[in-house]
Amino acid sequence: MEAEAPSFKREMLATLPSLRAFAVSLTGKHDKADDLVQDTVMKAWAKQSSFEMGTNIKAWLFTILRNEFYSQMRKRGREVQDSDGAFTERLSVHPSQYGSMDLQDFKKALSQLPDDQREAVILIGASGFSYEEAAEICDCAVGTMKSRVSRARTRLQDILKISGEADFGPDAVSTQVTTSNHSF
Amino acid sequence: MSQQRMRVQGRAEDGLGPNSDIGSRLRALYGAVQDEGVPEQLLDLLEKLDSAEQAQTTKHVQHGGE
């Protein structure tokens, strides 16, 4: 009898870390991201009857969060541009993976992208969505999503002056340290 | 061709695959946030929503539905 709701809750719980990472990439701030995730959780909970168990809850939650973010932005007339967007603060990335300078540069480059390109490259490159799913989340055509990602990538490469494939990669840096087991 | 395979191919063509600089840096940033875990207040919120719903269900049952 208690099976239904707890399993919706469980699925939601499993998605929260990724949803929160996406929220940080949109807001650029952890406190704002947490507020946004909280609003999203409440919205989603209220709408749970419209969600079909067994379908893609992750895409569903990302859609709600993204809509919530842009509707809040519109209401506030973008007066809250106190962030540069995209992971601007409080990020501790495991030092064995990249030099911190390198990721600082990368964050800065990400923040220079137009909003639509940044979210596209994050949804595809980091959240793990297919183009079809990402297009649905952003309410645009699949072709549009593809071109946003491609423009974002080109732009990032220009800014960072790096080439497409691994002239720099985990291998070059980490071969010597891979023996010490680093989790993340 | 499986959809999964098409996905991976698409990703690689777009330079966001496992060997791509940009792809791996994106995932490093994203992963760092993911690994922070979910804040207490969010977990509390979910618990509250869940128990409120259960309480309501129980009440409905006691009053013979709505």
Side-chain angles (χ1 to χ4, degrees):
Chain A
M1 175 169 137
E2 290 180 12
E4 209 95 298
S7 116
F8 179 75
K9 188 177 84 174
R10 237 193 340 266
E11 294 218 31
M12 223 161 157
L13 267 175
T15 313
L16 283 184
S18 179
L19 190 67
R20 189 167 168 268
F22 181 54
V24 171
S25 80
L26 287 177
T27 63
K29 298 263 181 191
H30 275 64
D31 54 348
K32 292 223 161 59
D34 285 337
D35 289 347
L36 181 61
V37 174
Q38 190 159 324
D39 294 342
T40 305
V41 165
M42 289 194 284
K43 281 247 153 91
W45 196 271
K47 289 167 68 153
Q48 68 173 290
S49 59
S50 74
F51 173 73
E52 280 176 58
M53 260 330 197
T55 62
N56 192 342
I57 194 167
K58 190 175 167 188
W60 187 70
L61 289 171
F62 272 61
T63 308
I64 296 175
L65 182 126
R66 183 183 175 277
N67 289 342
E68 185 63 21
F69 173 69
Y70 285 110
S71 97
Q72 289 182 5
M73 290 282 277
R74 271 194 302 275
K75 270 182 216 152
R76 292 174 201 164
R78 272 190 170 257
E79 125 261 324
V80 272
Q81 264 206 335
D82 55 352
S83 82
D84 307 323
F87 306 111
T88 42
E89 55 163 25
R90 235 180 72 192
L91 267 190
S92 53
V93 173
H94 203 285
S96 69
Q97 210 161 10
Y98 293 98
S100 59
M101 276 315 289
D102 183 68
L103 275 180
Q104 290 300 334
D105 289 347
F106 186 69
K107 275 194 273 185
K108 213 185 283 171
L110 255 189
S111 73
Q112 292 172 38
L113 294 179
D115 292 350
D116 59 350
Q117 291 181 24
R118 184 170 55 240
E119 71 179 1
V121 82
I122 287 168
L123 288 171
I124 298 293
S127 308
F129 287 110
S130 68
Y131 282 102
E132 289 72 17
E133 289 164 336
E136 204 158 312
I137 290 167
C138 298
D139 195 24
C140 69
V142 175
T144 307
M145 184 52 63
K146 285 186 177 168
S147 84
R148 283 178 189 168
V149 169
S150 146
R151 272 180 288 153
R153 201 210 48 210
T154 309
R155 183 95 184 265
L156 288 171
Q157 281 170 356
D158 285 351
I159 298 170
L160 298 163
K161 302 198 173 38
I162 50 179
S163 64
E165 292 295 315
D167 53 337
F168 166 101
D171 283 2
V173 191
S174 64
T175 346
Q176 286 126 321
V177 279
T178 28
T179 39
S180 69
N181 94 81
H182 57 269
S183 47
F184 222 146
Chain B
M1 186 184 317
S2 77
Q3 206 177 359
Q4 194 60 35
R5 183 173 299 181
M6 283 177 68
R7 254 186 220 189
V8 173
Q9 281 178 351
R11 202 79 25 111
E13 273 168 31
D14 277 313
L16 297 173
N19 292 323
S20 115
D21 296 340
I22 289 174
S24 38
R25 283 175 223 202
L26 275 173
R27 287 185 288 277
L29 286 178
Y30 201 86
V33 182
Q34 278 190 318
D35 291 350
E36 289 169 1
V38 178
E40 272 310 305
Q41 66 189 63
L42 266 174
L43 299 175
D44 287 350
L45 173 68
L46 259 185
E47 285 306 324
K48 273 182 203 149
L49 288 169
D50 194 39
S51 52
E53 188 175 86
Q54 307 235 342
Q56 207 179 26
T57 314
T58 315
K59 216 153 107 190
H60 281 180
V61 170
Q62 278 170 355
H63 292 104
E66 200 154 11

